Amino acid sequence: MTNSDYLLKAAIKKVTEKLNEIVVEKIEEATNIAQDAPEILKKEFDILKESIMEEASRMEKADNVQENETANTYQNSKIKIALNEIEIINNQIDLFNKKINNQIK
C-alpha cells in the first residue's frame, strides 16, 4: 500500500470513530431526556391543570359578579317601579284629601 492509501484509510477510520463518538453521545443525551420526559411532562401537565383551574375560578367569579350586577339592576328596577307606584298613590291620596277638605268647608 502507498502512503496515500494509508492516509485515506486513517482518515476514514478517524472520521468513523468521531461519528461513532458523536452518535453514542447523542444517544446518551436522548436516553437521559427520555428518562426525564415523563417527569417533565407530568410537571408541565400539573402546571397546565393548575392554570386551567385558576382560569375557571376567575371566570366563575367574573360570571357571579355579572349575575349579581344583573340581579341588583333588576332589583333596583323593581324598587324604582314600586317607588313610582307609591308616589302615584300618594298623589292620589293628596287629591282625595283635598277633595274631602273642599267638600267639608
Side-chain angles (χ1 to χ4, degrees), residues 11-28:
I12 291 173
K13 180 180 178 186
K14 288 300 179 180
V15 168
T16 303
E17 287 174 0
K18 189 64 175 175
L19 287 174
N20 284 338
E21 183 182 314
I22 292 171
V23 167
V24 167
E25 184 180 310
K26 295 303 176 186
I27 288 174
E28 287 175 356

Side-chain angles (χ1 to χ4, degrees), residues 63-79:
D63 197 34
N64 286 342
V65 166
Q66 185 176 1
E67 285 177 8
N68 286 341
E69 287 175 359
T70 302
N72 286 343
T73 301
Y74 178 71
Q75 287 176 344
N76 288 343
S77 166
K78 288 180 102 176
I79 290 172

